[in-house]
Amino acid sequence: MSKTTKKKSAKISKKLPPVDPSSPHEVAIAVKQILDNVRPTPMIHNGLSNEEKIEKITEKFVDIMETLGLDLSDDSLRETPRRVAKMYVNEVFSGLDPKKFPKMTVIENKMNYDQMIVVQNISCLSFCEHHFLPIDGFATVAYIPNKKVIGLSKINRIVQYFGRRPQVQERLTKQITDCLQYILGTEHVAVHINAKHYCVVMRGIEDTGSATATADLRGHFKTRMETREEFLQHCRTK
């Protein structure tokens, strides 16, 4: 196993090169370049295939359920360890797999559009990395284009991809901003997330009413008061 990936801040560096979507090799290189410009989730690269991960998690989850005193011979529980393993690898933690990074579509800003573009109320589902319980909320994402604009659904997919990891909300917010800033080649990006944490709802304080808000404002969204206020107004509107 390699050492845990060192933390680094994203920055607008080399431009994202043109990619032939029919070439898996070119796509893989482009995805690596994007993710290299996003602050990392703490990970080690263990070399396991997805199927190997499923088998190992299945075995471990059998141990957990038996330790809890559950009867795995019961027909309702028998397949639970493998169901959980497949869910972890293929679904709720699929954002750990670079191969699952969404296909990106950007186009030249021929319109010379220089105003704010905002996508509101994006479903934002993740898992708290401290207790492996859900984080459930909504994201508002905005940017001011430079030379490129992005297909609107791709913003939703970026939020979903980074949400599909064990997370803390602060890192998730910044990963989304890092990614869009690099792909679009603009410093003017803003992300706001408002979410309920089930590690607060279901355990500890057991507070069902509270929510957590985080924001990452860059470029004009941070330095120009009128741009900041316009974006935050979108965050308050549902």
Side-chain angles (χ1 to χ4, degrees):
M1 293 183 180
S2 63
K3 294 182 179 179
T4 303
T5 308
K6 292 182 179 179
K7 182 177 180 181
K8 56 186 175 182
S9 297
K11 58 186 177 181
I12 301 175
S13 56
K14 295 177 288 185
K15 293 182 179 179
L16 190 63
V19 177
D20 178 0
S22 66
S23 169
H25 179 66
E26 286 191 23
V27 170
I29 290 174
V31 169
K32 183 180 184 306
Q33 195 167 341
I34 291 168
L35 295 179
D36 281 349
N37 281 270
V38 174
R39 69 202 63 218
T41 294
M43 293 176 64
I44 54 174
H45 303 287
N46 55 28
L48 295 174
S49 69
N50 283 351
E51 191 53 45
E52 288 170 331
K53 291 176 183 179
I54 289 170
E55 292 303 322
K56 281 185 170 289
I57 294 170
T58 299
E59 293 170 7
K60 303 300 183 184
F61 215 79
V62 166
D63 290 342
I64 290 172
M65 294 180 68
E66 289 179 342
T67 300
L68 289 171
L70 295 169
D71 180 5
L72 270 73
S73 68
D74 185 272
D75 61 357
S76 180
L77 297 175
R78 188 179 301 124
E79 295 301 319
T80 296
R82 187 164 182 84
R83 288 191 196 102
V84 171
K86 290 172 68 176
M87 176 185 71
Y88 279 179
V89 174
N90 296 330
E91 296 175 300
V92 297
F93 298 140
S94 59
L96 296 172
D97 185 352
K99 295 187 180 75
K100 300 291 180 67
F101 189 82
K103 178 183 176 183
M104 288 293 104
T105 304
V106 294
I107 62 172
E108 184 182 346
N109 185 14
K110 297 175 183 176
M111 306 76 66
N112 294 319
Y113 189 87
D114 60 358
Q115 303 299 307
M116 190 184 305
I117 297 172
V118 186
V119 183
Q120 296 171 282
N121 300 327
I122 301 169
S123 294
C124 184
L125 290 169
S126 191
F127 259 63
C128 164
E129 68 184 36
H130 299 145
H131 296 96
F132 271 38
L133 285 170
I135 299 169
D136 182 10
F138 294 92
T140 299
V141 177
Y143 72 98
I144 300 171
N146 183 12
K147 296 181 179 180
K148 294 183 284 189
V149 293
I150 192 170
L152 293 179
S153 70
K154 306 308 179 185
I155 293 176
N156 302 59
R157 293 183 188 280
I158 287 170
V159 172
Q160 182 186 58
Y161 177 78
F162 289 106
R164 298 295 176 135
R165 298 178 172 191
Q167 281 286 16
V168 293
Q169 188 172 321
E170 297 88 342
R171 184 195 303 124
L172 173 59
T173 307
K174 286 189 170 292
Q175 286 178 334
I176 296 166
T177 318
D178 289 344
C179 184
L180 284 167
Q181 190 175 33
Y182 177 69
I183 288 172
L184 290 165
T186 177
E187 62 180 318
H188 312 302
V189 179
V191 175
H192 178 276
I193 297 175
N194 189 287
K196 185 180 289 290
H197 290 242
Y198 279 79
C199 57
V200 174
V201 173
M202 296 181 66
R203 57 159 302 282
I205 191 65
E206 296 184 3
D207 184 345
T208 61
S210 67
T212 298
T214 51
D216 189 10
L217 311 180
R218 302 186 189 177
H220 292 340
F221 291 98
K222 186 172 185 178
T223 60
R224 292 187 177 179
M225 186 58 66
E226 64 274 20
T227 307
R228 179 189 184 96
E229 181 53 38
E230 182 183 346
F231 172 69
L232 294 177
Q233 183 61 44
H234 284 296
C235 298
R236 291 190 286 267
T237 304
K238 287 191 176 181

